[in-house]
Amino acid sequence: MHGHRPRTPEADRSRRWFMNSALLAGGVAAVATMTGCSSDASDTATASSSSGAPNGAPSGGPGGGMPTGAMPSGGPGGGGGSGMGPGQSEVKYADFKGVSTNGTITDGLYSIHATDVSTDGIVKAAQAFLDGLSAKERKSCTFDVDNDEWLAWSNVDGYQRKGVRMGDITATKRNLGYALLGAALSADGLTQTRNIMKLNAFLGDYSGGNRETLTEGAYFFTFMGTPSTTKPWGFQYEGHHVAINYFVLGDQVVMTPTFMGSEPTSATYKGEKITLFKTETKAGLTLLRSLTAAQRAKVISSTKKSGDDMKAGAGQDNAKLAYQGLVAKEFSSAQKQNLLDLVRVYVGNMNDGHAEVKMTEVEAHLDSTYFYWMGETKDSSAFYYRVHSPVVLIEYDAQSPLAYGTKSSGGMGGPNGTPTQQHIHTIIRTPNGGDYGVDLLKLHLDNDH
């Protein structure tokens, strides 16, 4: 048995306190304080002391709370599904069903099979990272393969997380962690992850400092199961605006849910100009603009969007989400290729070989894939789009500013809660029980044990 730690009542209360305090304080407005707009310059503090507030709840700190009137819609972990944190809606592993259109899961979509894409490098990198940790560190980040910790991720910066915090370990150990991400992700996926972390630190500096959650070090590794080329295992890498869930069974990989976002999406950090989500933005617009006027009329539900339209963020693991928009069987060949190119942007964050395996799965259901849009359609517009099929769900959401650019939008949006391309959330999921590799694990246990 590895260093599994059962969820304690104290830990559960801490997580619930975090979200309940928001609801009691008035819902969305309270998120202003929780998401934080100041940062601790040090990356050496422990996760449990992230704010000095009761039960690890974050406090405002110097640099202040969020400007009022700039909050996204959709409550914490609730209606908008924005990734604000599991909170009261957190699903336990044993109760996981997966995203569905109506609450009924479609069976037979996934199978255990050889992909001929080796996972040896990922296994070795994971083991090297774990071997480099102290016994205490290793125990703090290892859980059973079917632990609830899989589903306990959040987008909120101040959410109390478990695992090994990157800012609390040595540079040598951190590099082993980055090596694991490098083996698991594509070059683009690793670059995007690191740049999100950097802009998180930029936001901390921009907001006045004194919050350890808005730094490059406020990201955590947890491991479910033991790295193996034959037995099921996986890892989670999580922090503000990043949650990568990575399940491995033999040479099969499931890298969903993966949440990536940023506020801001473009800034200069330590002399490096960083711009995120340009590819995701352009690919969505390219597909939309390739449609005929009649097709766009079916795809676009409204030229207006709210501050937060994401439906399948943190805590929404059993979400019911009906197909909307236009189905790809009504697309031309060129339009279908644009749709595949859009999906590849998100799938392509995983290493190249396994990305191709996933794309083959997506293409097999291409004619059953829907494309949906809300918002305007200019290059600079804040909009929402969704790609949804039996085997993939992608959401892109340009949201209201919370902590950056609320006084001047720089041409990317507006004040007073107007959505902006300077605050973008994205997520990719595997509907019908595929997230976290749950369906594969069930098949493995049913057939191999």
Side-chain angles (χ1 to χ4, degrees):
M1 178 73 76
H2 36 80
H4 160 58
R5 295 185 303 159
R7 180 72 61 78
T8 64
E10 291 76 11
D12 272 337
R13 282 196 297 271
S14 180
R15 291 173 187 263
R16 287 196 300 269
W17 184 95
F18 176 79
M19 300 314 302
N20 289 348
S21 64
L23 297 172
L24 292 171
V28 173
V31 176
T33 304
M34 294 191 298
T35 48
C37 63
S38 56
S39 170
D40 188 355
S42 170
D43 278 348
T44 59
T46 62
S48 62
S49 63
S50 60
S51 68
N55 294 321
S59 59
M66 301 298 170
T68 58
M71 300 303 110
S73 63
S82 63
M84 288 297 183
Q88 294 178 323
S89 63
E90 180 180 333
V91 177
K92 300 299 183 183
Y93 194 94
D95 299 323
F96 173 85
K97 291 177 62 177
V99 175
S100 65
T101 58
N102 60 8
T104 301
I105 297 300
T106 302
D107 294 325
L109 292 171
Y110 313 112
S111 65
I112 296 175
H113 61 274
T115 67
D116 297 324
V117 180
S118 175
T119 55
D120 289 358
I122 302 168
V123 172
K124 290 177 181 177
Q127 195 60 57
F129 177 72
L130 287 168
D131 289 345
L133 299 177
S134 68
K136 182 178 180 181
E137 290 167 338
R138 193 159 52 248
K139 183 178 181 180
S140 74
C141 70
T142 53
F143 301 83
D144 289 334
V145 73
D146 59 352
N147 193 269
D148 292 341
E149 192 62 26
W150 272 120
L151 285 71
W153 60 272
S154 170
N155 172 56
V156 174
D157 66 302
Y159 186 68
Q160 187 182 41
R161 295 172 168 90
K162 295 183 180 180
V164 170
R165 184 178 181 274
M166 292 290 270
D168 291 343
I169 57 179
T170 65
T172 298
K173 295 176 182 180
R174 275 197 300 275
N175 287 336
L176 290 172
Y178 291 136
L180 169 55
L181 292 178
L185 306 180
S186 65
D188 287 343
L190 178 61
T191 297
Q192 176 132 306
T193 301
R194 290 291 290 114
N195 282 342
I196 291 171
M197 295 167 64
K198 291 175 183 177
L199 289 188
N200 186 51
F202 168 87
L203 184 61
D205 294 342
Y206 169 87
S207 303
N210 297 317
R211 277 290 296 280
E212 68 158 57
T213 57
L214 297 180
T215 69
E216 288 188 67
Y219 294 84
F220 294 73
F221 269 111
T222 53
F223 292 81
M224 284 55 132
T226 301
S228 170
T229 57
T230 58
K231 296 180 180 179
W233 70 283
F235 73 87
Q236 185 180 81
Y237 187 71
E238 186 207 354
H240 188 211
H241 281 139
V242 172
I244 298 169
N245 291 282
Y246 205 97
F247 175 84
V248 181
L249 176 59
D251 64 4
Q252 289 181 266
V253 166
V254 177
M255 199 178 98
T256 63
T258 289
F259 180 106
M260 292 187 176
S262 190
E263 185 188 20
T265 57
S266 183
T268 299
Y269 176 65
K270 294 185 177 179
E272 179 185 3
K273 177 67 175 180
I274 299 172
T275 300
L276 294 170
F277 302 111
K278 286 185 66 176
T279 305
E280 291 85 348
T281 301
K282 183 178 179 180
L285 287 167
T286 297
L287 172 56
L288 184 77
R289 291 169 179 173
S290 73
L291 302 179
T292 66
Q295 288 174 320
R296 286 198 299 272
K298 295 179 181 180
V299 168
I300 302 173
S301 68
S302 172
T303 57
K304 303 292 184 181
K305 76 176 300 297
S306 68
D308 173 6
D309 290 298
M310 183 170 279
K311 303 300 182 186
Q316 303 302 312
D317 290 299
N318 288 349
K320 298 175 185 179
L321 187 59
Y323 292 129
Q324 291 179 272
L326 182 65
V327 68
K329 68 181 178 182
E330 299 185 26
F331 286 5
S332 68
S333 295
Q335 291 167 343
K336 288 181 179 180
Q337 186 57 56
N338 286 337
L339 175 57
L340 286 172
D341 290 345
L342 171 57
V343 174
R344 188 179 294 276
V345 172
Y346 294 85
V347 172
N349 283 322
M350 65 195 307
N351 67 66
D352 296 343
H354 290 105
E356 289 304 317
V357 173
K358 179 62 180 179
M359 287 303 301
T360 299
E361 182 179 80
V362 170
E363 193 164 2
H365 296 270
L366 188 60
D367 281 350
S368 301
T369 304
Y370 286 74
F371 183 53
Y372 174 71
W373 188 282
M374 287 190 292
E376 297 184 355
T377 61
K378 297 177 182 178
D379 287 353
S380 60
S381 297
F383 49 78
Y384 167 96
Y385 66 72
R386 182 193 310 156
V387 176
H388 191 185
S389 87
V391 297
V392 70
L393 170 61
I394 293 167
E395 292 186 279
Y396 167 108
D397 193 20
Q399 301 197 338
S400 296
L402 281 178
Y404 181 81
T406 53
K407 293 182 179 180
S408 174
S409 64
M412 299 291 284
N416 301 319
T418 305
T420 166
Q421 282 190 20
Q422 279 285 38
H423 188 190
I424 291 174
H425 286 184
T426 70
I427 195 165
I428 178 170
R429 282 186 177 269
T430 306
N432 292 299
D435 278 339
Y436 312 102
V438 173
D439 194 71
L440 290 184
L441 181 59
K442 287 179 179 178
L443 290 170
H444 170 75
L445 295 175
D446 288 346
N447 298 321
D448 297 343
H449 291 275

